[in-house]
Amino acid sequence: MIPANFNYHKVTSVKEAIALSTELGEEAKYMSGGHSLLPMMKLRFATPEHIIDISKIEGLSYIKEDGDMLKIGAMTTQTEMEHNDLLKENYPIMGDAIWLTADPSVRNVGTLGGNIAHGDAANDQPALMLAMRATVVAEGADGTKSIPIDEFFHGFYMTALEPSDVLTEIQIPKAKKGSGGAYVKIERKVGDYATAGVAVHVELDDNGVCQQIGIGLTNVSAVPMRLERGEEVLRGQTITDELIAQVGKIASEDCEPESDLRGSEAYKRSVVDTITKRMLNKALERARQ
Amino acid sequence: MFKCKTSPEVGGMGHSVKRKEDARFLHGKGNYVDDVKLPGQLMMVMVRSPYAYAKIKSINKEKALAIPGVLAVITGYDLKEFNLHWMPTLLSDTQMVLPTDTVMHQSQEVCAVIATDRYIAVDGAEAVEVDYEPMKALVDPYKALDDDAPLLRPDKEGQEDNQIYHWEKGDRAKTDDVIAKADVVVKERVYLPRIHVASIETCGCNASYDKDTKKLTVYLTTQAPHAIRTIVALVAGHVGLSEEKIRVIAPDIGGGFGGKVPVYPAYVVAIAATFLIGKPVKWIEDRSENLVNGFARDYHMDCELAATKDGKIQAFKVSTLADHGYTDSSANPSKFPTGMFSICTGSYDYEHAFAELDAVYTNKAPGGVAYRCSFRVTEAVHAIERMVDKLAAEIKMDPAEIRFKNFIKKEQFPYASPLGWNYDSGDYKQTLEKAMEMIGYDDYKKEQAEKRAQGKLMGIGICTFTEVVGAGPSKDFDILGIAMFDSAEIRVHPTGKALARFGTKSQGQGHETTYAQILAEELGIPYTDIEIDEGDTDTAPYGLGTYASRSTPTAGAAAAMAARKLKDKGRKIAAHLLEVSEEDIEWEVGKYFVKGAPEKSKTIQDVAFAAYTNIPPGMEPGFEATHYYDPPNLTFPNGAYICVVEVEEETGAIDVKRFVAIDDCGNVINPMIVEGQVHGGLTQGIAPAMYEGIVYDDEGNVLNGTLMDYLVPTAVESPHWETGHTITPSPHHPLGAKGVAESPTVGAPPAIANAIIDALYPLGIKHLDIPITPDKVWDAIQVAKAKA
Amino acid sequence: MGKHNVTMTINGESVTAEVDSRLLLVHFIRENLDLTGTHIGCDTSNCGACTIMLDGKSIKSCTYLTVRADGANITTIEGVAAEGTNSHLQQAFHDQHGLHCGFCTPGMIIRSMDLLKTNPNPTEEEIRWGISGNLCRCTGYNNIVKSVQQAATEMAKEKEASV
Ligand SMILES: Cc1cc2nc3c(=O)[nH]c(=O)nc-3n(C[C@H](O)[C@H](O)[C@H](O)COP(=O)(O)OP(=O)(O)OC[C@H]3O[C@@H](n4cnc5c(N)ncnc54)[C@H](O)[C@@H]3O)c2cc1C
Ligand code: FES
Ligand code: FES
């Protein structure tokens, strides 16, 4: 399997990338890790005429807390995230997800930005971002934009990014006391894309009342999906087993899985119910620590 | 237990010496087919059909030929000029090399593009324009014999429907009668799905024809180089390729497992291409081509097992529907269209059995390879082992107890099975006892009772199988008429070092080590002093190759027999050197000595030297021997496997807690290698049991034709295997060995399936076909609950 | 179709070449440089037979453009140890019978090198997950796990001796 011909361009700054992309137009594609894009090109599902390599742009690989935000550079690889002490310490949901994403060699190359920009509901990071209420920061011909994650995913492989926009940073509200998150996916074997995945982020006040809650689902809808109806049930409440059960049920109702090689629609709905409950419990447990 | 006769330095049988072949692989110096690069190398890529069944209206080569570097596009019409567009299969069916009018399965070869480079060839293949007229594909084998089914093979004279053949064995009337009168009869349709060997190296070839010498050299991913040479000569003899001018070289092979026995159409096209162009043409399959073309299993088996109410088995009947795709290209011995399927009566002693099989055509890829199994033994064992468990559950008897009750007893060997096999040896009771002890069967039974009381799903599964390997006695077994013997040729050099050549071909089994150990055992020459060579038809003696666990039973025996010929000659030489008569010479590993005077001796090395320097008068010089071994019988390795699983009711998730495998493969040549073979086979057993299966949609499209969706287990899915063995030597094999590598692939799937179904039994689930995946379990639980 | 000059260090030697945009690194290594120890098993980034070390990290070279490796430092199986010697991992795979057909072995060894660098003392479970992007159809993995364990032990011993 060999990609069709294309022209490769290396850029070393975001500006240069945007200028080149604007010049080359629709037939140009950015490549960061290339571990979503190149496999599609090898299968000839994608045949861009130009590849603009943005992986050599310096300064887009970092993980830091800044003010009340956690900021991760778009070019940070999943391996860098896996071994980062700050994430290990305060954002265990990241470790949950990355451990279950692809395999270590893929994670050595695949980037956080690419995982999100790909706009694929089968990828794991979108659900996390939805749950954690991330903001996507991008640079484009018209300057810097901050896109709330709820407005980011538009359709199958479609996002709010213009073709020449470079995703530069992900911002996530900083973990505070009383917050916790968890992610799990059911997979047919290790390294597989999710049969179904659930990300939960919860914030409790001192009395254990749920102040903020985010639930994101992986690969059970065409577009990465936030479980808003479920979140509403929990927000402002002291979370009980009954409420958790109710949200599990809502998740199984609201998701939109299709029957395929990963299982029947009914199976996927049932699994979503189960793992939503499990992740709510796990996130709560972490929030209460 | 087996006692070693040689020192570790000599490294004969029973020593776990490290493998001699490792170094090149560890340093990246293995030489696989794709690594062979010849001067003027061209590359070939196949254009393949997107449809399962379609008329080809036209093939337009122009755009492809316009690409710089594309040298040729070869179609069925081009081959037809040489009458090379069809070829025979091993079972007297016919297969298209390239089609002229119709494609019969998705991904079938349509034409070939030859170019100066791999990338250009791929572009060329993309540029070929083929106009298809799709037709409604026949996908369901149960519909193949319907009146309104399309006749798939009108090209075959006399073929009026889609049935390929009917086969049967045993006494139908008597078996039916016993079943009708039995206390208990359990029935089930057991399906073994299409799977693929998925060796990590795909298939490929590099064919090179020299127009001056008229010699064709083909580097090929093949497990049977000599057979392929003969087949090429038979298929292409009429265009001037005669057998002495054909050299097939199987270099290092990256896993075979039966998938590298067949002749794939692209091999023939590559040969035709080099013949026409006069430059070497290489074709390397990509993974999707590999997974979608060729298969193993695909047997639908309707089973009935009859017994008395206290669990004594009385009769077994199995009626099978076999889906062969559009041609029967099973790699079976000629007289055994269903391979050794009639081993399906298992390890149990009863009188009546009947097996029948109908093979049909469908619009699927051909194959029917013996995937790490001696021709359909996996199917047979799965059927009987599932049924024995079902019977045990039905009469509420412990699955171990029912097996003990019915085992063929040690004293009954040689045992004539109801369907005509002559089992050589075994001690089934001891083997199962050992497995039960190793896993702690009684404790698990207790734990299971406790868990069940808490509503948890835990299962224990047993499989006690009997394999039949080592084809074969040549009176019964042949491939395209060529008898299934195998060969060894030994040359001992003047300095006492040796070179031995074989008609088999290792694909990872470690022949370079184990054959040297057999010779070390017989001759006392250290295994490190013996070079092993296989795979080149210009140098190796003729043999039928490595598959069906036949290397040890046949070529291993040939090695021992050739060595014994040498030993006899050596005795004469030793007598000459020691100036005594031959009768006064005795042998002890590595040396001859004078009876009663052991200080008067000559080593095998001394004797070898003398064979070239101090030859007894009248004797032929040299120290070489060749033997073609035709086994008197097959060998019957067996084993007892036990698996413990837990199933999560909510999600259907299956956790394999323990897996113990006890194998009896007779005397063991290298325990380390045997254990490694068992580990590998077990992972290839859990694969179809829980993960793999080729899935077709209603149009005949394969839905999981990449390793993204064809789920080859990783190190995480593969449990930590626990292994052990018992030894019942084969009475008729010169080394008492039986062959092992396939037992685990045969034995593991039913053990795992039995364990999972045992776990689900309290919910009322009595059978599931493999692969048993969490979603399948979950679906079954919902159905069972709805019923309850 | 763009052409690009690339220079990289492979197994300690500098190589310069002109390559097409689309040339996959695995083909460059195998066909342009004749380093055929790196294999192709799947074409879809699933099997790991093509694993090489790029700037100290294991990557799947079938999913990497050669042009992007401009300036990189690459190690393939041929460069893991000096000619005629074994690295701890190579020795361990030999001792523990961690290979049968050998086709997956180069990728397994390179991947395990990276694994032991980031986690010098892995548990059996961590080893199994750590090599989960590398398929082996022959060994059933038991002995590969043992090989990695042996190498970890030997490397720890060596480290201890050197301090
Ligand atoms: C075998 C295998 C298994 C995998 N399994 C999983 C899995 O289980 N879960 C999972 O989540 N992922 C999985 N992946 C995907 C992997 O995580 C990818 O690496 C990741 O999703 C994409 O990152 P990338 O940097 O490689 O993106 P690329 O492939 O470089 O890009 C992907 C898309 O995003 C665009 N893009 C990339 N970066 C930017 C940017 N900064 N600005 C604007 N656009 C950009 C590209 O133009 C392209 O359209 C798997 C990949 C492989 C090969
Ligand atoms: S060939 Fe690269 S991962 Fe399989
Ligand atoms: S040793 Fe053959 S694939 Fe691993």
Side-chain angles (χ1 to χ4, degrees), chain B residues 711-747:
Chain B
L711 305 176
V712 171
T714 74
V716 178
E717 286 73 46
S718 187
H720 180 104
W721 305 112
E722 301 168 62
T723 57
H725 56 262
T726 50
I727 295 178
T728 321
S730 169
H732 62 77
H733 185 276
L735 304 166
K738 289 187 169 185
V740 70
E742 303 180 333
S743 296
T745 337
V746 167

Side-chain angles (χ1 to χ4, degrees), chain B residues 18-19 22 25-29 32 34-35 37 118-119 123 196-198 200-201 253-255 257 286-287 371 507-508 672-673 676-677 679-680 683-684 687 692 706-708 712-716 718-721, chain C residues 22-24 27 30-31 34 36-37 39-44 46-47 49 77-78 83 85-86 90 93-95 97 99-103 105-106 109 124 128-129 131-132 135-143 146:
Chain B
K18 306 270 173 284
R19 296 202 321 170
D22 283 356
F25 300 124
L26 289 167
H27 297 121
K29 305 228 174 82
Y32 303 91
D34 197 14
D35 302 342
K37 198 167 158 186
R118 198 186 295 264
Y119 283 57
D123 289 344
H196 199 279
V197 303
I200 305 298
E201 181 201 35
I253 304 291
F257 316 119
D286 75 23
R287 177 56 67 186
Y371 174 8
Q507 313 121 42
M672 173 191 83
I673 289 179
Q677 288 291 318
H679 292 157
T683 294
Q684 290 189 3
E692 296 175 14
T706 68
L707 289 185
M708 270 182 279
V712 171
T714 74
V716 178
S718 187
H720 180 104
W721 305 112
Chain C
R22 65 170 168 165
L23 182 66
L24 299 171
H27 289 134
R30 287 181 50 80
E31 290 176 20
D34 288 330
T36 53
H39 299 144
I40 298 175
C42 73
D43 311 280
T44 51
N46 293 94
C47 77
I77 188 68
E78 290 89 345
E83 187 89 34
T85 68
N86 279 339
Q90 286 167 320
F93 271 70
H94 179 57
D95 291 345
H97 190 28
L99 66 152
H100 293 187
C101 78
F103 201 76
T105 312
I109 287 178
E124 169 159 358
R128 288 181 180 270
W129 281 77
I131 58 169
S132 64
L135 298 175
C136 173
R137 196 60 156 171
C138 300
T139 63
Y141 302 106
N142 266 30
N143 290 346
K146 276 207 230 157

Side-chain angles (χ1 to χ4, degrees), chain A residues 29-39 54 60 74-75 78 97 100-103 106-107 109-119 122-126 161-163 165-168 185 187 191-194, chain B residues 708, chain C residues 44-46 60 63 68:
Chain A
K29 271 258 168 212
Y30 291 134
M31 181 178 281
S32 45
H35 270 48
S36 287
L37 184 53
L38 195 49
I54 54 175
L60 288 183
M75 238 59 90
Q78 296 169 91
L100 294 173
T101 298
D103 63 70
V106 170
R107 300 200 292 264
V109 187
T111 65
L112 176 64
N115 198 299
I116 296 167
H118 196 46
N123 276 1
D124 295 305
Q125 288 298 329
L161 295 177
E162 297 293 330
D165 288 352
V166 177
L167 195 168
T168 53
K185 78 189 206 195
E187 49 186 6
D192 188 21
Y193 286 97
Chain B
M708 270 182 279
Chain C
T44 51
S45 333
N46 293 94
K60 296 181 170 180
T63 315
R68 303 185 81 192

